[in-house]
Amino acid sequence: MIATGHNNMAMNRAVLQVARHFVKADKLEEPMLNRVEAVIRCYDPCLSCSTHALGKMPLELQLVGPDGNIVDRLAR
């Protein structure tokens, strides 16, 4: 089993914890992407390296409201 599959639940929980700590409003900002990327690198450095483009890990975050609608989206 590869690290991505083995660590998926832990990565999801860590991303949730980072989001709870760093998302303070209904808008996502670049530093939030950096924090999420750092969490993923902790659990699966190979995923980060294998999917990078020009030195940046492609990443998309969606901020979903309690009603299930997307409030904000940020990608790089």
Side-chain angles (χ1 to χ4, degrees):
M1 181 177 282
I2 61 170
T4 306
H6 182 72
N7 292 325
N8 195 328
M9 186 169 32
M11 283 191 291
N12 287 337
R13 287 181 179 173
V15 168
L16 177 63
Q17 186 176 12
V18 166
R20 285 182 174 156
H21 186 74
F22 290 100
V23 176
K24 301 296 183 193
D26 58 354
K27 179 122 178 84
L28 295 172
E29 297 178 4
E30 180 68 25
M32 182 61 205
L33 289 176
N34 296 336
R35 296 291 184 164
V36 170
E37 182 178 351
V39 166
I40 292 171
R41 286 182 187 275
C42 289
Y43 289 98
D44 193 353
C46 294
L47 178 65
S48 303
C49 293
S50 68
T51 60
H52 77 282
L54 300 174
K56 293 184 178 180
M57 181 177 165
L59 189 59
E60 177 181 342
L61 292 180
Q62 292 181 347
L63 184 60
V64 180
D67 58 358
N69 289 325
I70 296 173
V71 175
D72 195 18
R73 177 186 166 276
L74 186 61
R76 70 159 176 228

